[in-house]
Amino acid sequence: MHIAILTFEGYNELDSLIALGVLNRVRADGWRVTLACPTPTVTSMNGVTVARMSTLEEACEADAVVVGSGVATREVVEDPAVMGVLRGLDPARQLIAAQCSGALVLARLGLLDGVPACTDLTTRPWVAAAGIEVLDQPFFAKDSVATAGGCLASHYLAAWLIARLADPGAATEALHYVAPVGEKEEYVARAWRNITPYLPAYV
């Protein structure tokens, strides 16, 4: 099971790395989480440089993809080489999630046609200008596409992915592990309130 987190130059550490940390709480055989980057290294909006763990092409073949956010997302969606590769993303065979400005990438790819989205307050007008209804809530999913708004909503995306790809128990364990001491039950319950309405009945 491969989950790729698309991470571009100027990425937001909270978006890519919180998802990476929560998703990696799953200790199942074959479970792999990578930062998928267009170049060998990318540097965050705050100067944190990370090495590519997988390519964008590999991300298009992954079981699930998280489109991370960052200060250069508007440049990403105008890059024909990057967007040409990302047209290989397919919600018919992948779970696809976007964090904050990652929703702009999904909108440009046509993956939010008729689907409302969550995003951060800065990106909201750009996503709305793309013709997408923007919701005033932290998380929304329809079928195999999910979006989250606000950096600290990234664990909702991670939990939704774990619940879909592994099981709800594994998602609860991952959330419980990262939750603040003394607030774990409250933290986990709030997460489930946000994601349960968007999980298939069979999960």
Side-chain angles (χ1 to χ4, degrees):
M1 190 70 65
H2 178 203
I3 305 168
I5 302 171
L6 303 189
T7 304
F8 302 100
E9 190 70 17
Y11 74 93
N12 185 320
E13 304 93 336
L14 295 176
D15 294 341
S16 288
L17 301 183
I18 288 177
L20 180 78
V22 175
L23 288 164
N24 268 318
R25 300 316 309 167
V26 176
R27 303 300 186 191
D29 290 342
W31 185 273
R32 183 168 69 105
V33 186
T34 65
L35 298 179
C37 310
T39 52
T41 63
V42 291
T43 300
S44 76
M45 58 193 292
N46 293 306
V48 179
T49 299
V50 296
R52 175 170 62 193
M53 300 167 69
S54 64
T55 65
L56 299 186
E57 289 81 2
E58 289 173 307
C60 289
E61 300 302 319
D63 300 283
V65 177
V66 177
V67 184
S69 185
V71 295
T73 305
R74 285 189 294 175
E75 287 80 0
V76 169
V77 298
E78 297 300 334
D79 187 324
V82 169
M83 295 300 286
V85 173
L86 296 184
R87 295 199 185 282
L89 296 176
D90 183 359
R93 57 178 176 78
Q94 299 172 297
L95 295 180
I96 300 176
Q99 177 67 38
C100 290
S101 66
L104 190 59
V105 175
L106 297 192
R108 186 63 65 91
L109 291 171
L111 298 179
L112 294 178
D113 290 351
V115 179
C118 302
T119 190
D120 62 279
L121 299 181
T122 300
T123 307
R124 183 183 186 114
W126 307 330
V127 175
I132 307 302
E133 177 189 0
V134 180
L135 303 173
D136 187 25
Q137 62 190 60
F139 179 83
F140 180 84
K142 182 178 180 183
D143 300 325
S144 58
V145 177
T147 53
C151 301
L152 295 182
S154 54
H155 66 291
Y156 295 157
L157 283 184
W160 178 79
L161 287 168
I162 294 170
R164 292 287 306 266
L165 297 172
D167 60 71
T172 295
E173 289 177 8
L175 289 168
H176 191 271
Y177 183 91
V178 302
V181 171
E183 299 178 357
K184 290 186 179 292
E185 287 70 25
E186 174 189 354
Y187 192 93
V188 171
R190 183 172 63 248
W192 279 115
R193 283 197 301 273
N194 280 286
I195 66 176
T196 298
Y198 309 108
L199 289 172
Y202 60 81
V203 171

